[in-house]
Amino acid sequence: MRRRTIAGLGLFCLLAACAQQARSPTAPGMAWSLNHAEGEGAKLAFGEPHSDNLLLMMTCQARSGEVMVTVAAPENRPAHAIELRSNERTTRLPGQIVPAMAEGEALIEAQTPATNPTLTNFARTGDLSIGGDGSSAKLPVRAGEREVVRSFLATCRAA
């Protein structure tokens, strides 16, 4: 429940953001951040710095070998999948809808191995897009952020 509450605070209106991002190759003003919270594990988020406006959050417990990917969507969204794309690699993660704190919104959560080839390629190249229902959002990694992504996946991988 705590994970859902924390994720729900920042993950609003993804489909609207994706629709706008589908027209734009990048997400202006957005950045990657990594946080480690005692008892909650590692959190890699893409959003506006110093705000609750996030497009994507990935979480894991150290050395669990698993990553939870969370995005927001309208409650009535028919698809329950998250699509991750990194260059030639694409992964469609079947997810489940969970309630969000915002009215009319829901979260889609999907779990994947930390060794997922799309995530591995993302850490190597810095290229990642998320999508679903015909829209996508490119989530660029700037030079200084690539180590943040690598560090997150290294934390998640099983020993």
Side-chain angles (χ1 to χ4, degrees), residues 31-35 43-47 54 145 148:
W32 288 96
S33 64
L34 177 61
N35 294 300
K43 297 177 187 177
L44 179 67
F46 183 78
L54 302 177
E145 297 170 334
V148 168

Side-chain angles (χ1 to χ4, degrees), residues 7-21 30 52-56 71-75 77 100 102-107 130 137:
L9 291 174
L11 298 172
F12 301 116
C13 304
L14 177 65
L15 290 184
C18 284
Q20 288 179 339
Q21 295 307 319
M30 301 277 181
D52 290 336
N53 183 18
L54 302 177
L55 294 180
L56 170 76
V71 297
E75 284 182 320
R77 179 180 174 168
E103 188 174 323
E105 294 293 319
L107 300 175
I130 59 170

Side-chain angles (χ1 to χ4, degrees), residues 14 31 34 43-45 49 83 91 93 108 118 121 130-131 135 142:
L14 177 65
L34 177 61
K43 297 177 187 177
L44 179 67
E83 185 176 282
T91 300
L93 304 173
I108 300 174
T118 303
N121 196 64
I130 59 170
S135 63
R142 290 163 189 81

Side-chain angles (χ1 to χ4, degrees), residues 1-15 52 54-57 59 68-77 79-82 93-110:
M1 181 65 164
R2 178 183 244 182
R3 176 173 38 96
R4 290 179 185 161
T5 301
I6 292 169
L9 291 174
L11 298 172
F12 301 116
C13 304
L14 177 65
L15 290 184
D52 290 336
L54 302 177
L55 294 180
L56 170 76
M57 180 179 286
T59 59
M68 178 66 72
V69 180
T70 307
V71 297
E75 284 182 320
N76 61 358
R77 179 180 174 168
H80 300 135
I82 300 170
L93 304 173
Q96 72 180 88
I97 300 274
V98 295
M101 294 185 71
E103 188 174 323
E105 294 293 319
L107 300 175
I108 300 174
E109 293 182 333

